[in-house]
Each structure stands twice: as structure tokens, then as C-alpha cells.
Amino acid sequence: MTYLNTIDFAKSLDEQDPLKAFRSKFFIPQHEGKDTVYFTGNSLGLQPKSTASYIQQELNDWAQYGVEGHFHAKHPWLSYHEIFPKLLSPIVGALEEELVVMNQLTVNLHLLMVSFYRPTQQRYKIICEAKAFPSDQYALESQVKFHGYAYEEAVVEVAPREGEHTIRLEDILSTVEQHRDSVALVLFGGVNYYTGQLFDMPTITQAAHKAGAICGFDLAHAAGNVELKLHDWEVDFACWCSYKYLNSGPGGVSGAFVHQKHIANDSLQRFAGWWGYKKADRFKMDKGFEPIPTAEGWQLSNAPVLSMAAHKASLDIFEEAGFDRLIAKGKLLSGYLHFVLNGINESQTAKAIEIITPTNEAERGCQVSMLMLKDGKQLFDELMRQGVIADWREPNVIRVAPVPLYNSFEDVWKFGNIISGLIG
Ligand SMILES: *Cc1c(COP(=O)(O)O)cnc(C)c1O
């Protein structure tokens, strides 16, 4: 694709976009009576216009049936969560039995580590990315402490090299190799939240397994953003939130994946609750926990139906759009953003922006992280005043994510036009 930085070109791409009708399925936040350029779908996805009616359905059923809604609601609450594996399976590349929607992301990370971080005297280390999302860092720290280790003793961080922003695959692989006798778990983000770097998950998984370790991923910034094949890659476990690219509302429910090879292994340690108990006998309330032999066996509590209704509203839109088509548009859209920003940079005598997200399409999703070389915060504040919703990360990074479901090529052009006005 040869791009041009003109509004007519952007509009013509929008015209040809097979997914253009999907933008009107979302509420676009307004600024002075006009649509904002909403580039923070990586942080909180927009609200589908259909969400209210999905939640209203459950409120109506609750009003009409009370407790009987567990059986008689349009989507009976007893089995409400069973709707999701089919909808999520094309998005994360998993078998239905490997998927469950429950709790929230950090909670699921802990629950899965209870099963999959089982340190022994010989193998106790966790290899992870340096500058992981803070919640993940705290989760790791508290997990290793829970098992009696100090952070520095048990957690090995792989960092970018001096003067670089992203982590080299070869450095991840050599770290795993170097700790091959002592590593218990390799745990990475699928896409780093700060730089937008997409890690080579199949290769990392292979390396972890070769070293005799378990491999898990936090897919908060990957689910709904990039192609995933968790089953085929033989990832052991993964979890993600639903409120970023998956548009399911603030604090929405999380998804979890446990590979087929582990789901029926009831010798795995886990923290259990009644909703993970084998379904036929759940209500007998017998002593002795017997897990459902699917990812559902990790559930603790009954389904939070109201937030799950919001999740369903969004996933039904993903199904209608088709995930392959979304990925294809996402690549064009972020390719266009890279083109526009690079053009602006080249027109400057001194470079004002350094893009720290990899340019290689195989190493990124929608997000572009811009390291601002001067007056970054001022520029960011000015963007917000001109109706761009972006995200500021200390000390000097602006993150933007044009997402294929509701962002347009015109959004990208507008953004570039505003930026060049500000730094020109
Ligand atoms: C957004 C995000 C979280 C947030 O965790 P919650 O439990 O949903 O509050 C955690 N980890 C990563 C990598 C994230 O991007």
C-alpha cells in the first residue's frame, strides 16, 4: 500500500473499508460538538450502542423472575459464562474447553500462578520482561514472597539493551537458556503496554518448554488486538482483561486460558470455589473438591451477569465483523499512522518524536508509542484541547492506538494534521 498524507486519501480508504459501518455501532466521545479522535481503545475501549440493551435484558429478567432467572432468564444465569468460549476462541486461538471468563485480570493471574508457578528447591525462578505493567510486577513480587523468596532472588527481568527501547528476542532466549536449570516459569506480556512491542510468543513458549519451564502470557494488550494461536503455540496459560481492545466497560470481566494438556489434570494445585466444581454434583455440596475438567474448573464464583452482558454485547460485534477482517484493517490503519508520523518527523529540521514501537508489522499491534523529544507534556495537553484523546505516560511518552472497529483513516489524518500544526 502506498499511502498519502492528505484528507482525500484518508477518506478514500474509509470509503473502501469493508468495516466502515462498525464505527456507528459505538458511542464516540464528543469534544465541542464533534467526534473526538479517540486513540485510547488500548486503555478503555468505547461503549457499543447495544451494551445498554444487553444489560437491560438481564435487569428485566431479574425484575420478572428474581432467583428463577438462573433458569428462566433469556440467557439463564446459571450457565451465562458458557456463552463466551465460542466467541473468544477465534480471538485468542483456543479450543472452547481451554477458555473461561471469570474475575478480573490480576485475580486470574494470581489464580493461574497458584497452579502454574510451583517452585521447587531446584526450579524457582520466574523470567519476565523488565518494566512489566505495575500490577503484574506486584503480582510476581507477592507470589515469590508467598513461596519464601526475595524478588531479586527469584525474578529475572529481561530489559532492553542500553540505548534501546524494546527487548530483543535473542536476549529473551539467551536469558531462558542461561537459567535453564533453575527457571520454573516464563511469564511475559503478549504486547508490552508501554512500548507496544509484540513479543514472539510461539518462540518464547518453545524456549521455555525446552528449558523445562512453564510459559504463560498476560494478554491485556494483545487480546482483540493481534492474532493469537494460544492452543497451537502450546502456551500453558494466559489471561487478559476485556475493557481494553475488547470494549466491555470499565473493570469488565477477565478471560483465562489453560491449555488442553492441563485442563483435566486434577493433581494441579489450585484455589477452588463452588463454581469450578463438577457441574452434575455442584449443588450436592459434598466434601472434597472435584474440578470441572475444562478451564471452567478454575472458576470460584458464580457469574457476574451484568458485566458479562456488556462483554457479550461487544463480542457479538467482534463476531459480526470477523476477527480476520479486523486484523487486516488494524494493520492498514497503524501502517498509515506510522507513515504519517514518519513524514512529519522527516519534515522537521530536528526530530521531535521518536517512535519506540517497532516498525516491523510482526512486532506490533495497533498501538504506537511516541517518545517526545521536547515539550512532550505541553504537546499532549494541546492535543487534548484539540479533541484528541491519547494517553500520557511519565516521563515523556504519548501512546496512541487507532483500533479497527471504530477508528477511521480520517482519524489518523486528523491526528497527524494536529501534531504537525503543533510541532511545525
Ligand atoms: C491493564 C492491565 C492490567 C490491569 O489489571 P486489572 O486486574 O484488570 O486491574 C494488568 N496487567 C496488564 C499487563 C495490563 O495491561
Side-chain angles (χ1 to χ4, degrees):
M1 166 73 62
T2 315
Y3 293 118
L4 293 174
N5 187 3
T6 65
I7 184 153
D8 288 343
F9 179 77
K11 282 185 169 170
S12 77
L13 285 181
D14 283 327
E15 269 313 301
Q16 296 158 31
D17 171 14
L19 298 176
K20 65 177 174 228
F22 282 83
R23 179 175 170 94
S24 66
K25 292 181 187 289
F26 290 84
F27 290 111
I28 312 286
Q30 300 291 297
H31 175 78
E32 295 174 352
K34 291 204 198 97
D35 286 356
T36 51
V37 173
Y38 191 82
F39 275 177
T40 38
N42 58 335
S43 186
L44 184 72
L46 289 180
Q47 182 186 151
K49 290 176 181 165
S50 57
T51 301
S53 68
Y54 279 65
I55 295 176
Q56 191 61 49
Q57 174 74 47
E58 303 316 321
L59 293 174
N60 293 349
D61 287 345
W62 180 17
Q64 185 174 351
Y65 300 113
V67 71
E68 293 295 300
H70 282 100
F71 309 100
H72 301 307
K74 184 174 172 204
H75 307 289
W77 305 328
L78 190 65
S79 54
Y80 197 95
H81 62 278
E82 292 173 15
I83 292 170
F84 296 111
K86 180 171 165 290
L87 293 169
L88 282 169
S89 126
I91 297 177
V92 297
L95 305 178
E96 292 184 25
E97 66 201 35
E98 295 172 321
L99 293 168
V100 64
V101 167
M102 58 183 188
N103 314 310
Q104 301 192 263
L105 173 54
T106 309
V107 176
N108 284 341
L109 195 57
H110 275 298
L111 290 176
L112 291 167
M113 286 179 74
V114 166
S115 298
F116 295 107
Y117 175 55
R118 304 288 309 150
T120 63
Q121 215 166 17
Q122 168 79 25
R123 281 191 183 276
Y124 57 93
K125 288 181 190 158
I126 301 176
I127 297 179
C128 66
E129 77 218 88
K131 291 211 208 152
F133 192 86
S135 195
D136 301 47
Q137 292 184 34
Y138 305 142
L140 293 186
E141 177 188 334
S142 55
Q143 283 277 340
V144 300
K145 282 186 177 162
F146 178 72
H147 289 286
Y149 302 96
Y151 187 83
E152 304 72 37
E153 181 185 11
V155 180
V156 179
E157 297 182 354
V158 189
R161 292 188 189 179
E162 188 71 33
E164 298 183 4
H165 297 288
T166 51
I167 303 172
R168 294 194 193 193
L169 177 63
E170 62 198 274
D171 292 351
I172 300 172
L173 301 182
S174 66
T175 306
V176 173
E177 175 62 18
Q178 190 191 335
H179 296 276
R180 69 178 182 275
D181 296 328
S182 53
V183 57
L185 172 66
V186 177
L187 182 70
F188 265 70
V191 172
N192 179 272
Y193 82 101
Y194 190 75
T195 62
Q197 178 181 15
L198 165 60
F199 292 108
D200 182 342
M201 289 177 258
T203 305
I204 294 172
T205 306
Q206 263 178 14
H209 289 168
K210 191 166 157 247
I214 290 276
C215 191
F217 290 96
D218 181 332
L219 301 174
H221 283 266
N225 174 21
V226 296
E227 274 171 300
L228 297 167
K229 299 212 175 315
L230 298 178
H231 175 80
D232 291 349
W233 296 342
E234 298 202 25
V235 169
D236 293 289
F237 71 91
C239 46
W240 53 91
C241 50
S242 67
Y243 49 82
K244 290 173 180 165
Y245 292 98
L246 296 176
N247 313 320
S248 302
V253 282
S254 162
F257 163 91
V258 178
H259 197 276
Q260 189 183 33
K261 66 188 171 205
H262 301 300
I263 51 179
N265 178 0
D266 54 17
S267 68
L268 279 173
Q269 295 289 347
R270 69 181 97 196
F271 288 166
W274 71 323
W275 230 247
Y277 194 82
K278 66 180 179 358
K279 285 180 201 175
D281 297 328
R282 184 186 283 152
F283 293 97
K284 289 189 187 154
M285 309 279 190
D286 283 339
K287 280 222 161 62
F289 179 74
E290 291 181 47
I292 302 168
T294 72
E296 284 182 79
W298 273 263
Q299 293 175 114
L300 303 185
S301 298
N302 71 97
V305 167
L306 298 182
S307 70
M308 284 190 172
H311 195 30
K312 177 165 164 44
S314 175
L315 293 183
D316 282 349
I317 296 176
F318 271 83
E319 188 180 44
E320 194 187 336
F323 198 54
D324 292 347
R325 292 203 298 173
L326 285 167
I327 290 289
K329 178 178 171 187
K331 286 181 179 168
L332 270 187
L333 202 58
S334 58
Y336 191 42
L337 179 58
H338 278 262
F339 167 82
V340 166
L341 291 175
N342 286 333
I344 292 169
N345 248 346
E346 279 157 25
S347 69
Q348 303 288 307
T349 39
K351 202 161 129 186
I353 301 167
E354 181 179 353
I355 296 183
I356 60 173
T357 306
T359 24
N360 175 4
E361 206 173 71
E363 291 177 66
R364 60 174 163 82
C366 300
Q367 177 182 323
V368 176
S369 299
M370 308 184 300
L371 179 67
M372 306 308 290
L373 301 176
K374 60 173 202 276
D375 306 332
K377 188 64 171 49
Q378 261 164 284
L379 189 125
F380 175 77
D381 292 341
E382 193 52 40
L383 281 174
M384 298 293 273
R385 270 195 289 278
Q386 297 202 31
V388 175
I389 305 190
D391 171 278
W392 174 257
R393 290 283 140 159
E394 294 294 341
N396 49 8
V397 164
I398 296 177
R399 299 187 309 169
V400 284
V403 310
L405 258 179
Y406 47 75
N407 283 123
S408 63
F409 293 90
E410 189 176 340
D411 281 340
V412 172
W413 178 83
K414 276 187 193 159
F415 177 71
N417 190 46
I418 295 172
I419 290 262
S420 61
L422 292 177
I423 65 178

